Amino acid sequence: MSRTDSGAAAFDAAVARHDADVAARGLTIWVGSEPTFTDRAAQSPEWLNQALGGDKEARAQTLAERLCARFPGSLLLHTVGRQYPGEERPRWNLGLYRRRDGRPVWPPRPVAEAPADLDAWTATLAAELTGRGWHVDAVAGAAACERRVLLRTDPGVAMPAPDDPRLARAPVHTRPTPAGGLTDDLAAAGLHLFALSLPDEGPVPAVELPMFADVATFLAVLECLAAAAADCGLPRPRLTGYPPPWMPWSNGPR
C-alpha cells in the first residue's frame, strides 16, 4: 500500500490519538500473531474463549508428534509458554525445531532392548556428559521416580551446598514467570540442572532442561541425551523445561 505524504501524516496522527486515548483509559491491548488451531465443531470453553482445558494439550501433543515423525532429526520441546496478567502460571508451549541445512537437531540412534531403569539411565547420561570433559554431580530428586543431575561445563565453577534450595526447585512449568522474564539462577552461575523421570504408568522418559546461553552446548547436551536414552532401551524422551537458545539456522519458534 502506498501513501502520500499528507496521507501518512494523517494516518500517524490518527494512530497517535488512538494510543493516547487507550493510555488515558488505562487499557492494555494484546495483539496475537500466531496461527490458531480450533475445533470448529466444539462448543466447550477451551475451544471458544479459554486458553487451557479439556483435551486441548493432548491433541496439540499428538499433532506435534506426527509432524516430528515427518521430519526425521527434528526436535520437539514442551517448554514454558506465555503468562498473561491475572494468570497464576505460564501456559504450555510446544515447539518443533529442525535445521534448514538438513542436519539433525535430535540425532537418530538405534534403540537397544533393555528394561526401563531410572538409575541406569541417569548413570549412562552422566557418563555421556563426563565424556565431553564436563563435570557431573548427582543431587537429590524431588520424588522417588525422579533423579537430578547437575552439569558444570566450567571446572572453575563451585558446586553449591547440598541444601541449596535451587537444587530442589519446582518444575519451571509450575512456577509463575517473573515480570522481568524467564530466568535460571543456576544456569547464570554456570550450573545446569537436569531432572530425569520415568512415570509409573509406563517407560516414557522425561527430562526437564535448564536454560542454555549458547547453541553449541545445547546441541552437545542433546547428543548426550539421545545416546543415553538409546543405550538404555528407552524411546525419545519428552523434553520439557526452559526454551532453547535462539538458533538462527533453525526452522522453529523464536
Side-chain angles (χ1 to χ4, degrees):
M1 181 179 69
S2 61
R3 300 186 298 170
T4 63
D5 291 342
S6 60
F11 178 81
D12 292 341
V15 171
R17 290 194 301 271
H18 171 270
D19 290 347
D21 187 37
V22 169
R25 295 171 183 268
L27 301 176
T28 300
I29 297 178
W30 295 88
V31 179
S33 58
E34 303 88 355
T36 301
F37 296 90
T38 63
D39 184 342
R40 62 183 180 181
Q43 294 298 312
S44 51
E46 69 273 11
W47 294 110
L48 296 178
N49 52 29
Q50 291 185 5
L52 307 174
D55 63 347
K56 199 172 188 178
E57 183 176 0
R59 293 172 70 172
Q61 180 75 27
T62 299
L63 174 61
E65 289 175 351
R66 290 177 179 176
L67 289 172
C68 189
R70 292 188 62 179
F71 299 101
S74 59
L75 176 69
L76 178 59
L77 294 181
H78 186 288
T79 59
V80 176
R82 296 180 179 178
Q83 182 174 355
Y84 293 92
E87 296 180 340
E88 295 182 356
R89 62 181 185 178
R91 302 176 181 183
W92 50 265
N93 178 73
L94 295 175
L96 183 65
Y97 299 81
R98 55 191 293 260
R99 296 184 64 133
R100 295 190 183 98
D101 59 11
R103 295 170 58 189
V105 183
W106 180 264
R109 288 178 175 270
V111 177
E113 292 293 335
D117 187 317
L118 182 56
D119 290 323
W121 179 33
T122 304
T124 304
L125 175 60
E128 289 286 342
L129 295 171
T130 303
R132 300 271 176 168
W134 296 331
H135 294 258
V136 178
D137 299 280
V139 297
C145 61
E146 180 189 86
R147 302 291 184 271
R148 295 194 172 193
V149 172
L150 191 66
L151 170 66
R152 293 179 290 158
T153 57
D154 182 355
V157 175
M159 175 69 179
D163 59 351
D164 190 319
R166 296 176 299 175
L167 299 178
R169 66 189 183 189
V172 67
H173 297 267
T174 66
R175 307 195 306 263
T177 300
L182 202 60
T183 59
D184 184 342
D185 293 341
L186 283 171
L191 302 162
H192 296 87
L193 182 66
F194 299 83
L196 286 68
S197 61
L198 281 174
D200 294 334
E201 59 269 20
V204 180
V207 182
E208 180 176 280
L209 298 174
M211 183 177 285
F212 290 94
D214 67 282
V215 174
T217 302
F218 178 70
L219 293 178
V221 165
L222 291 181
E223 291 179 358
C224 293
L225 287 169
D231 290 347
C232 291
L234 297 173
R236 176 194 293 234
R238 184 172 186 262
L239 301 179
T240 68
Y242 288 84
W246 181 59
M247 298 175 282
W249 39 256
S250 167
N251 288 326
R254 294 187 180 182

